[in-house]
């Protein structure tokens, strides 16, 4: 049994079958019942098949905001809770549901720290085809994602930010739930996603949370309504837990920015940290950055938030903070100062446009699969030099034969099958399409 | 892998998570998929947690009649299928969802055999508070419920009927499903109940099935609509499997007949086999008996069905057949000829009416619990002498102090707690209530 203050009230343990039945019939668990479920998982007393049935019952019947908040809190308490009380600065984290080409966290974490907001960022494994932030940072020689909790707190005190690997000590019950959800087709359950995110982020020491819920063909959320529901669920439950929480629902029906890969995305992140890069990414970094500094209380008005963020980018503070963080985690920063020093692919070739026209749609998921085929070794690790760059975005006009993107690869034998995906990802049309709306909704 | 003719078509095995997701989203399994699920259970390759999630997804999304029929057939084929082709008489079985005081199967099985209909009856464990037929027959000294499949077939050839224990060789996958359903609050799933009943009954050699779906406070089905749905589900799926199938939805908002117990119910069954007993039971035996002989083709018209059944009761053929069956299974029949030879309880006392009035409602479940408290030993076995008799039924007028029932017991220390239940089961009212409708619906 985990150590905790046990309530003096008498609670008669119900049977697991009774709890499943209660949820099956749409009932709402009380605090004692949720604590009992979480304790039983910690103590390995809840049989796998009953946890499975419970997940499916929750999938169909959902949980109220109060129930989900209680679950998140109990899951948070199932492991270590990082104590950042000695750090006086505001502590805010950023969470993205993940998307193809999304390198905003790499930029926002040091950017926020440069603005005086501590970011205790840990990263788990991402869904499906999305390359994780840690895989990307792995392209920097020497970078170490694995921090003990003591080191994690140290680095937050000295540098002000981390991008570290999820620790086993943080919300261990979340790991049990997540593995079960993958095996039982209950990953998309809104209350279970919500409790998972909040339990981990709050256990890592965040006082508030800015969430980016991405919807589209480059995300595991293909439906905008589902994305909106998740944004509302996380913010509502976060509020129930007395935490500040803002969510943006954003479009990822094409890759974010103009590169997909590990080393290539780090290079793009460096550009963004200097205030350069594609329009969509610049806008998203600005908007999310403004949410962070306002939530943290570092900036009061929209205007001052914008100025704070833009200054940190333009004056180089964000980039300096990034290098400081990388160095603190053992990474070599010379590749960041001089991108020429990044490992280069043996071959670079263009993907030619098959005809003239406008880029009408891009299936980001297919681009991700193409990059995986191109650069993944048998252990699933991506070659840091491999990927695609200079992606022409939706709305761009191209002539026949002009590059839709540049393909970086080391293994010629993998090119053909990758090209199938990359080619199929593009649809050209004679008329200019309406540009997709990048930020669909803000939920606070 | 069980032995069977494997289809020549190519079937690519899906992942279990995919199958769960398909059902979660309301998809319909094809034959290959259902066969794969059942084979995987037989081969112990379907993990418990994934079976649990699948059961819950089926609970919420249901299965079509075709899907359920395929599941029932594959479950049937998961074990031995009894071959009764050498017996030329029609082979029909009767299934009741079970209810407090329901002794119709004890009567109908020999009655049908006396009318020339072979009844290959096997019994599983009953739901919750219901005393099983085998427990009741256990009150007859020497009675052996356990027949090997060879003995089962032999007795059907010679006597024409059995009331035997469910064999492990029959539909073993049903047992796996059932245990899982009990642990995961998915017992009430209509398609899973339907497939369970049909797979077992058809594997036991029945060509057709007469079903009694009981609803009310003496059944695990408390809702008449749910009972109707189950009746429709079993008959519809039975038809899909090309079997004759009739179901009656009947009331059990009070105990059936006037006794609850083991020895006491056997004595009541003997009365019924002689054409005596309470009105409700006599009517139900007649109606179900008529369905059986008509379904079997032994009687063509309603009138001839009625005459056939009544003759078998009045002329003693049904009672003789019952004794023949009991003797074939090792039981002593002298207690049946002379009920005085049944073990008697040390004490018999009345439950007095607390006031004058009409019996308005009886909670049959509470009477069953009272009898359990009164006579069950630590292993859950009921004392054959213990129970209640002369139950006054709904609509009866009683004076204060007149017996509502007679209580038979051996252990005085258990009386008080049992009395609490028995007393609370009765509600008296000054006005005569409308009599409950015994047969609510016939589904064919």
């Amino acid at each position: 049994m985990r150590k905790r203050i046990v309530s003096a009230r008498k609670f008669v343990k119900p049977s697991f079958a009774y709890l499943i039945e209660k949820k099956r019939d749409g009932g709402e668990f009380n605090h004692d019942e949720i604590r009992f479920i979480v304790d039983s998982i910690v103590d390995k007393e809840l049989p796998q098949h009953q946890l499975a049935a419970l997940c499916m019952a929750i999938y169909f019947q959902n949980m109220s905001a109060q129930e989900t908040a209680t679950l998140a809190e109990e899951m948070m308490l199932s492991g270590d809770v990082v104590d950042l009380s000695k750090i006086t600065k505001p502590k805010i984290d950023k969470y993205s549901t993940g998307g193809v080409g999304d390198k905003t966290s790499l930029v926002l974490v040091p950017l926020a720290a440069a603005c005086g907001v501590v970011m205790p960022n840990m990263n788990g494994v991402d869904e499906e085809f999305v390359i994780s932030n840690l895989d990307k940072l792995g392209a920097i020689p020497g970078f170490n994602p694995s921090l003990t909790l003591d080191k994690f707190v140290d680095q937050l005190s000295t540098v002000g930010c981390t991008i570290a690997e999820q620790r086993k000590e943080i919300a261990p019950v979340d790991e049990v739930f997540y593995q079960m959800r993958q095996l039982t087709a209950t990953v998309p359950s809104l209350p279970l996603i919500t409790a998972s995110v909040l339990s981990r982020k709050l256990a890592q020491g965040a006082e508030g949370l800015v969430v980016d819920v991405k919807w589209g063909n480059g995300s595991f959320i293909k439906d905008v309504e589902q994305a909106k529901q998740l944004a509302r669920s996380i913010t509502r439950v976060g509020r129930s837990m007395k935490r500040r929480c803002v969510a943006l629902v954003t479009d990822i029906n094409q890759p974010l920015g103009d590169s997909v890969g590990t080393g290539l995305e780090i290079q793009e992140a460096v550009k963004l940290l200097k205030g350069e890069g594609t329009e969509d990414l610049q806008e998203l970094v600005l908007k999310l950055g403004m949410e962070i500094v306002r939530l943290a209380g570092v900036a009061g008005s929209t205007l001052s938030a914008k100025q704070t963020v833009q200054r940190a980018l333009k004056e180089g503070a964000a980039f300096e903070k990034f290098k400081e963080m990388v160095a603190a985690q053992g990474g070599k920063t010379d590749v960041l100062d001089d991108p020429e020093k990044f490992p280069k692919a043996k071959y670079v070739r263009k993907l030619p446009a098959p005809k003239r026209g406008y880029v009408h749609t891009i299936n980001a998921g297919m681009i991700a699969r193409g990059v995986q085929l191109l650069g993944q070794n048998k252990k699933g690790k991506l070659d840091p030099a491999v990927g695609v760059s200079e992606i022409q975005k939706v709305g761009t006009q191209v002539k026949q034969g002009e590059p839709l993107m540049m393909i970086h690869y080391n293994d010629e034998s993998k090119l053909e099958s990758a090209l199938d995906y990359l080619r199929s990802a593009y649809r050209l049309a004679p008329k200019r399409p309406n540009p997709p709306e990048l930020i669909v909704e803000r939920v606070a």
Side-chain angles (χ1 to χ4, degrees), chain A residues 46 73 76 115 147 150 161 197 238 251 291 372 404 428 435:
Chain A
L46 175 51
E73 195 181 309
M76 174 183 88
C115 298
L147 299 179
D150 286 343
C161 62
V197 171
D251 181 274
E291 297 291 354
Q372 279 178 335
L404 293 170
L428 302 178

Side-chain angles (χ1 to χ4, degrees), chain A residues 215 251 253-254 358-362 393-396 427 429-438:
Chain A
W215 86 275
D251 181 274
N253 281 296
Q254 58 178 334
Y358 291 91
V359 176
H360 188 266
T361 51
I362 307 180
K393 313 279 300 230
V394 169
T396 310
R427 242 187 80 209
K431 275 182 66 180
R432 186 188 293 274
N434 289 324
E437 195 183 10
L438 184 64

Side-chain angles (χ1 to χ4, degrees), chain A residues 134-375:
Chain A
L134 297 176
D135 284 344
K136 293 174 192 172
L137 288 166
I140 302 172
F143 183 85
N144 173 25
S146 176
L147 299 179
T148 63
L149 288 186
D150 286 343
K151 284 231 169 190
F152 178 75
V153 176
D154 278 354
Q155 185 172 325
L156 291 172
S157 304
T158 53
V159 182
C161 62
T162 58
I163 299 184
E165 201 172 70
Q166 189 71 44
R167 301 276 320 170
K168 291 255 176 249
E169 302 96 312
I170 296 294
V173 161
D174 176 54
E175 182 64 20
V176 177
F177 261 108
Y178 189 69
Q179 285 183 6
M180 182 57 77
R181 284 162 57 209
Q182 283 189 305
L183 294 168
T184 55
T186 51
V187 167
S189 162
L190 279 184
L192 293 181
I193 298 175
T194 303
S196 171
V197 171
L198 288 171
S199 65
R200 281 187 285 119
K201 290 298 183 189
L202 302 187
Q204 288 158 27
E207 296 164 337
L209 191 61
V210 172
V211 181
D212 182 8
V213 181
K214 311 199 85 67
W215 86 275
N217 60 36
S219 159
F220 76 104
I221 305 173
K222 313 287 184 200
D223 171 36
V224 69
E225 283 310 315
Q226 208 187 323
K228 288 178 182 174
Q229 281 175 14
L230 180 56
R232 286 170 205 150
S233 173
I234 295 178
T235 49
R236 193 185 300 130
V237 173
R239 252 197 325 275
S240 292
M241 297 177 81
K242 317 257 182 264
R243 308 300 172 121
R244 284 165 292 164
C245 209
V246 175
L248 299 185
V249 177
T250 67
D251 181 274
I252 187 131
N253 281 296
Q254 58 178 334
L256 258 178
D258 73 352
S259 66
V260 175
T262 56
L264 292 167
E265 290 199 47
I266 293 289
Q267 291 173 57
E268 195 181 353
V270 167
K271 274 191 215 158
L272 285 156
L273 283 160
K274 295 175 176 171
E276 299 158 18
T278 61
E279 240 177 76
D280 56 348
L281 257 181
Q282 284 206 48
E283 186 189 343
L284 196 58
V285 164
L286 179 63
K287 290 285 162 61
L288 287 167
M290 286 166 65
E291 297 291 354
I292 292 167
V293 295
R294 287 193 66 187
L295 200 74
V298 166
S301 68
T302 308
L303 181 65
S304 106
K306 191 170 183 176
Q307 289 171 338
T308 305
V309 170
Q310 285 179 331
R311 199 182 311 122
L313 291 169
K314 281 195 188 135
E315 295 181 355
F319 181 48
E320 286 307 314
K321 190 55 84 179
F322 183 58
K323 288 197 287 181
E324 200 182 334
M325 177 187 80
V326 167
Q329 294 186 231
K332 291 199 193 303
T333 56
D334 56 341
V335 293
L336 304 175
D337 283 318
D338 180 5
E340 289 300 311
K341 290 189 176 162
F342 257 103
K344 292 251 177 314
K346 261 192 276 182
Y347 312 102
V348 182
R349 53 160 287 175
K350 67 177 179 181
L351 177 72
K355 60 179 179 185
R356 67 187 295 271
Y358 291 91
V359 176
H360 188 266
T361 51
I362 307 180
N363 187 321
M366 283 185 141
I367 291 185
R369 302 263 186 226
V371 170
Q372 279 178 335
L373 280 174
L374 212 56

Side-chain angles (χ1 to χ4, degrees), chain A residues 1 15 32 62 83 88 123 180 190 272 326 342 367 411 440:
Chain A
M1 176 67 83
S15 77
D32 284 333
N62 272 311
D83 180 7
T88 52
N123 278 253
M180 182 57 77
L190 279 184
L272 285 156
V326 167
F342 257 103
I367 291 185
D411 184 345
V440 181

Side-chain angles (χ1 to χ4, degrees), chain A residues 92-113:
Chain A
I92 306 290
D93 205 357
K94 185 243 168 184
Y95 171 73
S96 165
T97 57
V100 175
D102 184 7
K103 59 277 293 176
T104 46
S105 289
L106 299 175
V107 179
L108 285 162
V109 169
L111 172 60

